[in-house]
Amino acid sequence: MTTKTVALVDGEHYLPVTRAALAQLGEEMGYEVVAAVFIGGTEKIGQPEDLRQLDVPVILPESPILGIRRAIEEFGPDVVFDLSDEPVVGYRERMVMACEVLSSDVVYRGPDFEFTPPRFPRLCRKPSIAVIGTGKRIGKTAVAAFMARVLSGEETEDERTWLPCIVTMGRGGPAEPEVIRGDELEI
């Protein structure tokens, strides 16, 4: 089975080299390259119309991000394969492109890397909110407690419609979970 793919290409490579890379993606690696997004650099391509030599539809966007969005919308790929290189695309630009691709639930791959979209399995049957932070003493519990008070109506003195439950985790906590009922406790 082939993987429907949009390739990101640049003008830092001569067109025959880029065409050969696209062919290799298809013939040797099992990708079905349905389009290419030209993301910049014209040093070795000649005129933009010369990109027709690539034998796939080529999007010439105002910016790489707009081109990636358009390609994903029009072609619905499983993978965006990045064949670009520095100096056209540096690390910062590549990470922005990776975020754009992943936010569209598409795999972002290159010759020596792969980023897959995160999966968020549904763990709760009720609405839930996560307050996540990696630093110590930055206010995660305080933020969660405030959100619970707002949702329960205690902060605004509205009618109580929600009975929030806060689940906290700590590395040095007790072996068994402790339940503290906020609706039965006055501080």
Side-chain angles (χ1 to χ4, degrees):
M1 184 176 103
T2 59
T3 304
K4 196 172 177 184
T5 305
V6 166
L8 304 182
V9 300
D10 63 28
E12 287 297 307
H13 304 88
Y14 290 107
L15 288 174
V17 173
T18 301
R19 188 174 57 240
L22 294 175
Q24 184 176 7
L25 283 176
E27 295 165 8
E28 296 179 26
M29 300 174 73
Y31 294 95
E32 176 193 359
V33 180
V34 295
V37 178
F38 184 75
I39 59 175
T42 56
E43 182 178 338
K44 298 178 181 172
I45 65 156
Q47 300 301 315
E49 48 276 357
D50 293 341
L51 291 166
R52 286 190 217 121
Q53 295 175 36
L54 297 179
D55 299 327
V56 295
V58 178
I59 294 173
L60 292 161
E62 290 179 34
S63 75
I65 297 301
L66 292 176
I68 290 168
R69 283 183 192 154
R70 182 174 156 205
I72 290 172
E73 288 172 10
E74 285 185 28
F75 297 97
D78 304 304
V79 172
V80 170
F81 202 102
D82 193 343
L83 294 171
S84 69
D85 200 1
E86 291 186 86
V88 174
V89 178
Y91 295 114
R92 174 169 283 164
E93 295 87 3
R94 195 171 313 285
M95 290 303 110
V96 170
M97 292 187 319
C99 289
E100 182 65 33
V101 172
L102 295 173
S103 72
S104 298
D105 202 30
V106 176
V107 174
Y108 179 63
R109 195 173 285 158
D112 59 352
F113 66 86
E114 175 177 296
F115 297 120
T116 56
R119 300 290 172 231
F120 299 104
R122 189 154 187 92
L123 301 175
C124 299
R125 291 191 181 110
K126 303 278 184 184
S128 63
I129 299 172
V131 177
I132 300 171
T134 57
K136 288 185 173 191
R137 292 166 185 56
I138 60 170
K140 300 179 292 283
T141 303
V143 168
F146 177 74
M147 289 170 34
R149 288 193 309 272
V150 169
L151 290 170
S152 69
E154 289 181 26
E155 192 69 26
T156 58
E157 298 183 19
D158 291 337
E159 183 180 325
R160 176 177 242 153
T161 56
W162 295 86
L163 183 58
C165 170
I166 301 172
V167 178
T168 63
M169 294 177 56
R171 293 181 293 227
E176 295 295 320
E178 296 178 15
V179 177
I180 301 172
R181 301 268 325 225
D183 58 341
E184 298 174 0
L185 181 68
E186 281 288 325
I187 295 180

